[in-house]
Amino acid sequence: GLSELRARRDELSGRIRAEEAERGRLQARMAALARRLADTSESLAGLRAARAQIDRTIAETEAACGQVRAGSGGRAETPLQGNILLRRGHRSPATPGHRGI
């Protein structure tokens, strides 16, 4: 009868308190994760901006090198190529008296 209903009510009250506590813990975790997500998003934006700046610098440098090569008749050499030519006894293509390879 009545005592069984009261026992059932007490059992449900205990389960409700436990679920409310779990809900509170989950809400706190969600708030912490939301802060971490915002921080990570901000960090990613900065990293992507830095990478984009480097990409622009690379593109500008490559374009400038292409203009230098085009202005030299396509004979521009890298420092490594120049060192190899000198070791082989060849003069730089820009040097008068160049023998070619």
Side-chain angles (χ1 to χ4, degrees):
L2 192 55
S3 64
E4 291 172 355
L5 287 175
R6 287 186 176 136
R8 176 76 176 135
R9 182 186 67 189
D10 290 345
E11 176 190 336
L12 289 173
S13 293
R15 289 177 58 188
I16 288 170
R17 281 190 300 275
E19 290 288 325
E20 287 172 341
E22 177 66 7
R23 183 172 185 247
R25 286 189 295 274
L26 290 171
Q27 285 178 326
R29 281 183 61 197
M30 286 177 59
L33 288 172
R35 285 189 299 273
R36 283 180 55 194
L37 179 60
D39 292 345
T40 301
S41 295
E42 187 177 329
S43 175
L44 272 172
L47 292 170
R48 287 179 175 143
R51 182 181 62 187
Q53 179 60 45
I54 290 172
D55 287 344
R56 283 190 295 275
T57 302
I58 289 170
E60 290 168 2
T61 303
E62 287 174 339
C65 287
Q67 290 173 355
V68 168
R69 285 193 179 113
S72 68
R75 295 182 317 223
E77 61 190 39
T78 66
L80 177 59
Q81 289 169 328
N83 288 338
I84 292 170
L85 292 172
L86 290 174
R87 274 190 246 129
R88 291 182 181 167
H90 297 287
R91 293 186 177 151
S92 171
T95 305
H98 170 66
R99 294 183 286 163
I101 297 177

